[in-house]
Amino acid sequence: MNFSRLYFSTITATVLINATALALSPAATSARGSADWATPAHDVIGVDAAQLTPEFWIARLEKPDAVVFDADAIVARNARLPRVDSSVLDLHALPPTLARKQVRAWIQALSSRPDRALVDADGKPLASAAVDALIDSLALADIPERQPTRYGLVVHRADLRTFPTTHGAFSDLSDTDVDRFQESALVPGAPVVIAHQSSDGQWWFVVSARYAAWVEKRYVALGSAEQVFAYVDKKPYRIVTGASATTVSTPQQPALSELRLDMGVRVPLLADWPAAKPVNGQHPYTAHVIELALRNDDGTLALAPALVQKNADTQGDYLALTRANILRQAFKFLGERYGWGHAHDARDCSGFVSDVYRSMGVQMPRNTSDQAVSAGFDHRAFGRRDNRATRMAAVHALDVGDLIFIPGHVMMAIGSIDGEPYVIHDTSGLSYRRQDGTMTRVELNEVSVSPLTPLLFNDKQLYVDRMTSIVRIRPVIAKESPHKP
């Protein structure tokens, strides 16, 4: 990763002062020595029940409800993001036709022959013939020289896959939670460009604003660009502000029955729906009448009304970006199962932080590797020249909502206790040293709260030692000089 010429705006003075102090300290490894961390029965050091609520952390803040990034500034930053970050695509900007070279490049950037040994769900090595079949299923020879740019809307939460298959592939059977063919997921109402079809005709290679991958055709409805973008931009709307919300059960319209809508999803509100007119056989006075995408039998797009209960966690607009809202939104996922690539109808570490900020209107790149370096956000980057003292000074200057990146993982700062910074993160587990100095691993597989500085990246390095970037989702106040690793 290239972290040069990246900035972080508000911690320079604190870092310089604290780095000097810490460099002179023989205990500049964490806020507390390993011997100070008692191990509770649940094995997650430094955490008790009181700390598992957002109100605990909110109560420690001054002016927790102050807006730190206003709505107009967020809209402007979202608009700028595709212009400065190649991992985010403005679908409006695509040409009316797609060239074979572009489509082939999209597919081959993702669907390349695995460079590691993999096993299937039965633990059998993924044979060369099976991999050949996956490559053949891409139907690269069938990509036309030029094709009209086709658009669609996602109609159901859908997995994005490396290859057009639902079959999993794993490094080994000890870690079947990590399907190496699982890339991400799309939510209902997400716009996509349909670029290609698999050899069996059951999958489309789609390009969304944040990811390009294979999706089952049954989850995408084909419409015109005008239809798709009119739906995406339609007002008024509702924003899902809970971890998720579901439409009501309806036998009259099974495709829209108990449909899951994840945090941050925006759906049009049919505000002019007649107050006494039933929706799919149900009176609407206890619910919001929303509009959702449907897939007709021929694959084309239709729009239909559905109901979301008024007591569901939704709002008429994005939440204000305040530290209190960051905490409340993040803690709505506490205990949710970890889902590599958004598997298990859940999310992974980068999806977790993205959904929290999406509920406040902030759009982010999909993967940690892009989030950590995106030119659309303000960074404090770290390289080989940054010693532990400098890094510790930086983490002690964290503010609520700051994102801390290490290779392959992102955490969100939630506050500190007695000088120890704490984070919430969606993680497979964590490692630390017990009071006797032995290293222990706690398997979590969930959104979790933990102190930051005791966490071990490996037997010799802390997470802090491997920190690559801190991102603050705020307006720039005063930029520091470029940091050169």
Side-chain angles (χ1 to χ4, degrees), residues 204-476:
W204 272 330
F205 189 89
V206 299
V207 181
S208 71
R210 303 196 306 157
Y211 218 83
W214 293 95
V215 66
E216 292 182 80
K217 284 176 64 173
R218 62 192 175 116
Y219 292 134
V220 180
L222 183 64
S224 67
E226 292 76 17
Q227 286 176 305
V228 167
F229 292 129
Y231 178 86
V232 171
D233 297 333
K234 192 170 184 178
K235 298 178 180 179
Y237 50 79
R238 299 293 296 180
I239 304 296
V240 177
T241 46
S244 65
T246 57
T247 59
V248 302
S249 178
T250 169
Q252 286 88 345
Q253 189 59 273
L256 301 183
S257 181
E258 299 182 82
L259 187 69
R260 173 175 162 165
L261 306 171
D262 287 295
M263 181 181 284
V265 167
R266 168 176 162 165
V267 290
L269 178 69
L270 297 178
D272 57 354
W273 189 267
K277 182 180 178 181
V279 175
N280 301 322
Q282 181 174 332
H283 197 288
Y285 86 109
T286 59
H288 299 291
V289 184
I290 61 173
E291 188 173 50
L292 293 173
L294 277 174
R295 190 176 194 270
N296 292 321
D297 291 341
D298 63 357
T300 58
L301 174 66
L303 300 176
L307 296 178
V308 170
Q309 293 169 226
K310 286 185 176 178
N311 60 8
D313 194 346
T314 70
Q315 299 288 330
D317 207 346
Y318 293 102
L319 296 170
L321 204 165
T322 68
R323 291 183 294 167
N325 279 341
I326 291 170
L327 289 166
R328 290 192 180 104
Q329 293 304 99
F331 273 78
K332 288 176 183 179
F333 290 117
L334 187 69
E336 180 186 78
R337 175 75 183 217
Y338 173 79
W340 167 270
H342 289 219
H344 310 309
D345 279 337
R347 64 216 81 233
D348 52 26
C349 61
S350 57
F352 161 63
V353 299
S354 292
D355 284 1
V356 169
Y357 275 111
R358 184 173 60 169
S359 69
M360 288 164 271
V362 177
Q363 298 299 318
M364 298 182 66
R366 166 64 184 95
N367 288 337
T368 56
S369 57
D370 297 312
Q371 292 174 354
V373 301
S374 175
F377 299 95
D378 301 299
H379 304 75
R380 168 64 164 95
F382 299 89
R384 292 185 300 274
R385 295 181 185 176
D386 292 298
N387 60 21
R388 183 175 290 181
T390 299
R391 292 164 177 272
M392 284 293 181
V395 300
H396 286 296
L398 288 168
D399 195 8
V400 169
D402 287 353
L403 304 178
I404 307 102
F405 292 87
I406 63 174
H409 190 49
V410 59
M411 301 160 281
M412 179 182 287
I414 58 174
S416 63
I417 299 174
D418 297 331
E420 171 62 43
Y422 276 68
V423 294
I424 186 169
H425 50 143
D426 202 347
T427 182
S428 59
L430 52 84
S431 299
Y432 62 90
R433 294 200 183 280
R434 295 183 182 273
Q435 290 178 311
D436 62 5
T438 59
M439 182 175 173
T440 188
R441 171 76 176 174
V442 183
E443 301 298 333
L444 291 170
N445 276 325
E446 63 184 329
V447 177
S448 311
V449 168
S450 66
L452 172 59
T453 65
L455 301 186
L456 291 169
F457 189 86
N458 53 40
D459 187 53
K460 297 183 182 299
Q461 294 176 302
L462 300 171
Y463 271 24
V464 173
D465 296 327
R466 295 301 302 271
M467 190 166 60
T468 59
S469 180
I470 295 174
V471 173
R472 179 165 290 176
I473 312 293
R474 309 286 169 83
V476 176

Side-chain angles (χ1 to χ4, degrees), residues 17-56:
I17 294 169
N18 288 352
T20 302
L22 283 166
L24 298 175
S25 169
T29 57
S30 67
R32 297 161 60 183
S34 296
D36 295 330
W37 291 101
T39 304
H42 53 60
D43 272 352
V44 182
I45 57 172
V47 178
D48 60 34
Q51 297 159 21
L52 300 180
T53 69
E55 301 308 320
F56 173 90

